Amino acid sequence: MATELASSGLPQGEELAILETVRDNVPPEVFTTPYTNPQFGSPEKTRANLREGVRLLREAGFEVRNQQLMRGR
């Protein structure tokens, strides 16, 4: 399900007009290659990345309470 903020295809219309104002500051691929989300490989690698993210959040003082991410006590 796509949202109004979803990216698809190459920039056009208003999006392209905005990007043209910063063309020198963005990679040229922005104008020639449609964006796709990064792929991280296998489900095992994805789980490992998620575990590392949770570890980093805990290290930074966050915890999960009632299925919400909260700053620790």
Side-chain angles (χ1 to χ4, degrees):
M1 180 171 111
T3 69
E4 63 186 57
L5 301 177
S7 175
S8 65
L10 293 174
Q12 54 187 338
E14 228 179 305
E15 179 184 20
L16 181 58
I18 292 168
L19 285 168
E20 287 292 356
T21 67
V22 294
R23 184 180 274 271
D24 294 339
N25 299 316
V26 296
E29 299 81 33
V30 168
F31 299 94
T32 61
T33 307
Y35 177 79
T36 57
N37 285 326
Q39 300 295 315
F40 296 105
S42 70
E44 292 80 16
K45 288 181 181 179
T46 299
R47 283 192 294 276
N49 286 338
L50 290 170
R51 280 193 297 272
E52 176 65 3
V54 168
R55 185 191 70 75
L56 290 169
L57 285 166
R58 283 187 181 139
E59 187 178 292
F62 290 88
E63 61 187 44
V64 176
R65 279 187 261 151
N66 299 323
Q67 296 183 348
Q68 293 183 343
L69 185 63
M70 310 288 274
R71 187 169 290 281
R73 297 177 189 173

